Amino acid sequence: MGGGGSLGAVQVGMVSALQQHGILPEQITGTSVGALNGAVLAAHGENGPALLASMWKNLTRESVFPGSLVSAVLRLRRTRTHAVSAAALEALVLSTLDTGTFEGLDAPLAVLALDLSTGDEHVLDSGPLVPALLASAAIPGVFPAVRVSGRDLVDGGVVANVPVRHAAARGAGCLVLLDTTVPAPAGSGSPGIGDILARVAQIQFRAQLMAALPAVAARVPVVCLPAPGARRVDPTSFEQSAALSRDAHERTDAFLADLHVDGPGIYGEPFARYVAGAANAPATAVPVIGAS
């Protein structure tokens, strides 16, 4: 389950469609918002998708990124490390979980973070749960780093926004990728600074995923669920959550209806709609790369 701020709403629709097709995770590996969503699923079993949908229905910018732009600037000037307090995000996490440890979850969960001191990836899969989730979602410069076992940790999306290699390393026999990428519409005018930064992040995440996929898909099937249709989305705004979830559910449902997994390979089209010009590609197309 990949990161992406408010774009995590895409995963709500995806997991709902997966459940309708009888697919529930045996284990979950997540980064950032994917770690938070994954924890809800891992904690609540068959009730997870419904509880996840309920949580997202009530999310607002204030419940995750509280305060005004002025307060963010003042906090950044004061702390010199972050612009937003993690208190609201922590309260949200605590309200959705009925356990404080990885060991108390119904399904195994691993979350990815980045060690600021060493630059190494750090996988958390045991011990206290809430600090690990906050660390995985600690967007550098936005939220404070989280100290876990002597390490200062931040958002794992910096190194692996969709933690494919890490899921495979945990012994998965088949991977289902819940990427949150939402392509921008074509011809949408001159981009602002927010659009430019979002586009740069998409390019970075695409490079990460495409570098990791071939080696993993040579060993196990990798199912890439389809992206929603192209639209302009602010990763800090939750106004489009319902529409994103609904669109992702419809496309995932159609995709799964035609899916046939037969050995290792890439099933689906990773980043098929990453370029807006490809937005008309059929959502139910299931090309297989490298499958025997």
Side-chain angles (χ1 to χ4, degrees):
M1 302 184 75
S6 67
L7 304 183
V10 169
Q11 295 173 343
V12 178
M14 289 175 170
V15 298
S16 175
L18 286 165
Q19 185 179 45
Q20 288 183 5
H21 285 262
I23 302 171
L24 289 172
E26 293 182 352
Q27 59 175 301
I28 300 170
T29 307
T31 298
S32 199
V33 73
L36 301 176
N37 284 343
V40 176
L41 298 179
H44 298 289
E46 292 186 358
N47 296 323
L51 290 172
L52 191 65
S54 178
M55 180 187 80
W56 275 85
K57 183 178 180 180
N58 299 313
L59 283 185
T60 64
R61 189 197 299 266
E62 191 68 16
S63 62
V64 179
F65 304 101
S68 65
L69 178 59
V70 172
S71 66
V73 172
L74 291 176
R75 183 182 296 274
L76 184 59
R77 288 184 60 184
R78 184 173 69 254
T79 65
R80 298 184 181 276
T81 57
H82 63 278
V84 179
S85 167
L89 183 59
E90 182 175 7
L92 174 64
V93 171
L94 289 170
S95 71
T96 61
L97 300 176
D98 55 7
T99 178
T101 66
F102 281 90
E103 291 77 13
L105 297 170
D106 286 351
L109 172 72
V111 304
L112 184 68
L114 171 70
D115 187 326
L116 272 180
S117 297
T118 65
D120 294 332
E121 303 165 348
H122 188 60
V123 177
L124 300 127
D125 59 5
S126 63
L129 181 58
V130 174
L133 297 178
L134 294 178
S136 185
I139 304 169
V142 177
F143 292 119
V146 179
R147 193 155 186 84
V148 178
S149 300
R151 301 172 182 265
D152 290 320
L153 304 178
V154 296
D155 195 327
V158 176
V159 285
N161 195 58
V162 184
V164 179
R165 292 183 291 103
H166 310 80
R170 294 175 60 80
C174 178
L175 301 183
V176 180
L177 269 57
L178 283 71
D179 186 17
T180 67
T181 299
V182 176
S188 55
S190 300
I193 182 63
D195 300 311
I196 293 172
L197 292 176
R199 178 64 171 171
V200 169
Q202 282 188 341
I203 292 170
Q204 176 190 2
F205 297 156
R206 179 181 186 273
Q208 292 174 356
L209 181 56
M210 299 310 288
L213 272 180
V216 174
R219 303 194 306 272
V220 300
V222 180
V223 177
C224 301
L225 299 183
R231 68 181 71 210
R232 187 185 296 273
V233 186
D234 178 355
T236 68
S237 170
F238 296 82
E239 294 179 355
Q240 298 193 58
S241 292
L244 286 169
S245 176
R246 184 169 56 251
D247 191 358
H249 180 279
E250 292 172 354
R251 290 171 184 262
T252 300
D253 179 44
F255 174 84
L256 294 173
D258 283 356
L259 177 65
H260 176 67
V261 176
D262 182 22
I266 300 174
Y267 295 79
E269 299 178 77
F271 289 93
R273 295 170 186 79
Y274 173 72
V275 178
N280 294 323
T284 54
V286 190
V288 181
I289 304 173
S292 57

